[in-house]
Amino acid sequence: MSAEAATPRPEMPHRRLRIVKGNRTQILLFSVLTLVLTAAVVWGGRTWLRNSETLVFAVGEANGPEARFAARLATVLKNNSSRLRLKIVPNGDNVKALSQFDRKEANLAILRTDARIPPRARALAILDRDLFLLISPGGKKIKTIAELKKKKIAVIADSESSGALVRNVLELPDADGAARIQMAPPGATLEKLFSSGFGAVIKVAHASHIVKDKSYEPLARRGAFALNPIDSAKSIARKNPAISEETVATGMLSASPAVPEEDLDTIGLEWLLVAQSKLPAATVADLARIIYENKTELALPDGFASKIEPAATDKDAFIVAHPGAAEYINDESKSFFERYSEPIYVGLAALSIIGSIFAAIYTKVTRVAPEKASQLATAILDVGERMEYATSLDALDELQDELETILRRAVIGLRDGTISSDGLDTFKLGYEFVRDEIGLRREHLKRHPPSPDDKVVAVKTAQSA
């Protein structure tokens, strides 16, 4: 056995392999847990933002126009993936529906402006308008309200409230008003009413229905009726805020011949979709956006809600617009970030704290701590201690190779994170010291090469050991 073989060799550590494997495991676990955390945050955010909100919609008869409009609105909300949902609650009539709304048992309702207005009602949209058509027998025009008051009047309308409103507009005493103004029986035609002694007919109907009604055209061809303006429409509207000044457009009743021949002034009432004043502005703005962007889908086959209009946003409007609807109508709707900026900032701060906590937990549980550079200094000093046993240049070359191996391991470890810089100065000092000692030892052996006898003694010593 050679003297070189007698030089003790250090046991090569396997810690680096364990650290690399540990770090790979760490990276994998970090990736998996980060994906899980990201999915949880996204799911939570979507749940928070898109958490459905159910609004109770009070309507009149189950098959009435209000209920059918509400059903269409519910379908549109669903088709547009809105977070809003409707619960439609039918009542016996619209009066009962408004009572439910007034008791705060409903968020939404539809009312005509001559109804008893709940104090917390705020307008979202004008769904339709009821026009008052003042009709007289053919060739018998009615020029003034004073002239109309002298005639027997039939009122064609869906409810008794329209008859009471006509009596109120004409300012007739109750006894005289009841005799002069009567509700027309169901199915009564203009010709039958005129032939039975009525000198005028006031028909109250949805503007959307009037446009679609084709029964006026044959009567107009025969000259069976005349459509008259209400000359004092503006003053009537000023006296009664529930009434609005309206216009019957040219050819609205009949295109050929044109009835009326030119635009006529009249009065009317608005059908409004209203919401509770305490309903959040963001909710109402979302609802208003869906309504105004999907007018075609909301129109009923009979024409109701076929021309949805923005609610009046003036502060002196008869029914004040809801702030959320006013934001959308006036194009003042807040962007997503403006609306949710505070929750977003709070959420980001919370996520930052949660992320830090998770990172600390992940590191504590899964991470294999990197080896300190100072620990490698021990291996370097071990090489230095074995240098005194090196009695040949070959033995010194082996020690030099070990020393360079430790240096390479340190450089690679510092690069990939398996070795920390803790104690790096100690490592450098030890490396330079041992490197210089090997150099000095090498020069010494070159000047004083060992004799053959020294080699034999060394061998025998090693064997005896």
Side-chain angles (χ1 to χ4, degrees):
M1 182 179 294
S2 65
E4 291 84 350
T7 303
R9 296 180 60 84
E11 180 182 354
M12 296 302 292
H14 298 283
R15 182 173 175 79
R16 182 175 185 276
L17 181 60
R18 294 197 303 272
I19 291 175
V20 172
K21 289 183 177 178
N23 280 348
R24 287 176 180 171
T25 303
Q26 171 193 345
I27 292 171
L28 178 62
L29 287 173
F30 262 114
S31 300
V32 172
L33 290 172
T34 300
L35 288 173
V36 172
L37 180 61
T38 302
V41 170
V42 171
W43 177 82
R46 286 178 61 85
T47 301
W48 174 64
L49 291 175
R50 300 196 63 80
N51 185 28
S52 62
E53 182 178 355
T54 300
L55 304 177
V56 178
F57 199 145
V59 297
E61 297 178 5
N63 294 322
E66 300 97 334
R68 288 184 284 127
F69 173 83
R72 290 220 167 193
L73 180 56
T75 301
V76 167
L77 290 172
K78 183 177 180 181
N79 292 342
N80 282 270
S81 301
S82 172
R83 65 183 182 86
L84 302 177
R85 295 289 182 270
L86 291 186
K87 179 183 178 183
I88 302 171
V89 181
N91 293 267
D93 53 44
N94 206 40
V95 174
K96 294 179 180 177
L98 291 178
S99 296
Q100 182 186 14
F101 180 91
D102 196 22
R103 294 192 303 269
K104 301 182 184 179
E105 296 173 0
N107 306 108
L108 302 171
I110 296 174
L111 57 82
R112 197 172 74 166
T113 47
D114 64 330
R116 190 183 70 81
I117 309 299
R120 287 172 293 274
R122 299 293 181 267
L124 270 75
I126 302 172
L127 301 182
D128 214 324
R129 296 175 183 271
D130 277 1
L131 300 183
F132 283 58
L133 303 179
L134 176 55
I135 303 172
S136 59
K140 297 180 180 180
K141 290 280 188 177
I142 301 174
K143 297 180 180 180
T144 64
I145 290 293
E147 185 181 344
L148 177 62
K149 289 180 179 181
K150 299 176 182 178
K151 297 183 179 296
K152 185 179 179 183
I153 305 167
V155 178
I156 301 177
D158 293 333
S159 64
E160 291 281 349
S161 62
S162 296
L165 184 60
V166 171
R167 285 192 289 270
N168 183 41
V169 167
L170 296 181
E171 299 177 343
L172 294 175
D174 290 341
D176 192 27
R180 287 182 175 276
I181 302 172
Q182 300 177 17
M183 294 297 298
T189 64
L190 292 176
E191 290 178 310
K192 286 182 179 180
L193 291 172
F194 292 144
S195 62
S196 61
F198 287 99
V201 172
I202 295 179
K203 183 169 184 178
V204 183
H206 298 320
S208 54
H209 289 184
I210 295 171
V211 173
K212 289 178 173 289
D213 192 346
K214 301 300 181 183
S215 63
Y216 295 103
E217 214 159 274
L219 293 175
R221 291 194 186 101
R222 297 199 304 269
F225 74 95
L227 184 64
N228 305 274
I230 297 179
D231 63 321
S232 54
K234 187 173 292 185
S235 61
I236 292 172
R238 278 200 300 266
K239 288 181 182 177
N240 192 333
I243 296 175
S244 55
E245 185 183 3
E246 302 288 346
T247 299
V248 183
T250 303
M252 190 173 185
L253 274 65
S254 171
S256 179
V259 178
E261 295 180 352
E262 56 185 19
D263 292 353
L264 294 183
D265 293 333
T266 187
I267 57 175
L269 299 166
E270 294 176 347
W271 285 89
L272 299 176
L273 173 63
V274 295
Q276 291 283 356
S277 59
K278 297 296 184 182
L279 206 59
T283 298
V284 177
D286 288 344
L287 183 60
R289 177 182 59 81
I290 294 292
I291 290 173
Y292 291 123
E293 291 179 0
N294 297 273
K295 295 180 182 179
T296 304
E297 289 77 7
L298 293 172
L300 300 185
D302 60 5
F304 183 76
S306 60
K307 192 177 179 182
I308 298 175
E309 302 173 49
T313 57
D314 299 333
K315 292 183 179 180
D316 59 350
F318 179 58
I319 299 180
V320 178
H322 193 285
E327 282 181 8
Y328 182 84
I329 294 168
N330 295 330
D331 199 20
E332 297 173 353
S333 297
K334 295 180 180 179
S335 66
F336 172 86
F337 188 80
E338 290 173 334
R339 185 179 300 168
Y340 296 109
S341 57
E342 284 191 28
I344 286 174
Y345 285 130
V346 173
L348 288 176
L351 286 176
S352 176
I353 296 171
I354 294 171
S356 300
I357 294 173
F358 268 96
I361 294 173
Y362 296 163
T363 303
K364 189 73 175 176
V365 174
T366 68
R367 187 180 180 190
V368 177
E371 187 177 10
K372 297 179 180 179
S374 59
Q375 291 175 310
L376 292 179
T378 303
I380 290 177
L381 293 176
D382 180 61
V383 172
E385 290 175 358
R386 287 186 286 114
M387 189 171 50
E388 63 180 295
Y389 299 103
T391 57
S392 68
L393 294 176
D394 290 340
L396 284 175
D397 288 340
E398 288 186 10
L399 292 175
Q400 182 71 41
D401 289 342
E402 288 185 29
L403 185 64
E404 297 303 323
T405 299
I406 295 171
L407 178 61
R408 281 196 303 272
R409 175 182 165 196
V411 173
I412 295 172
L414 288 169
R415 182 191 64 189
D416 62 18
T418 58
I419 294 176
S420 73
S421 60
D422 190 9
L424 184 59
D425 291 339
T426 303
F427 172 82
K428 290 167 62 178
L429 184 62
Y431 171 78
E432 292 172 355
F433 174 74
V434 174
R435 180 193 63 191
D436 294 343
E437 286 295 312
I438 291 176
L440 292 173
R441 181 68 171 168
R442 189 184 302 279
E443 292 298 324
H444 175 77
L445 290 178
K446 287 180 180 179
R447 291 196 302 270
H448 308 285
S451 64
D453 292 337
D454 293 337
K455 291 184 179 180
V456 172
V457 171
V459 171
K460 288 181 177 179
T461 302
Q463 287 175 343
S464 63

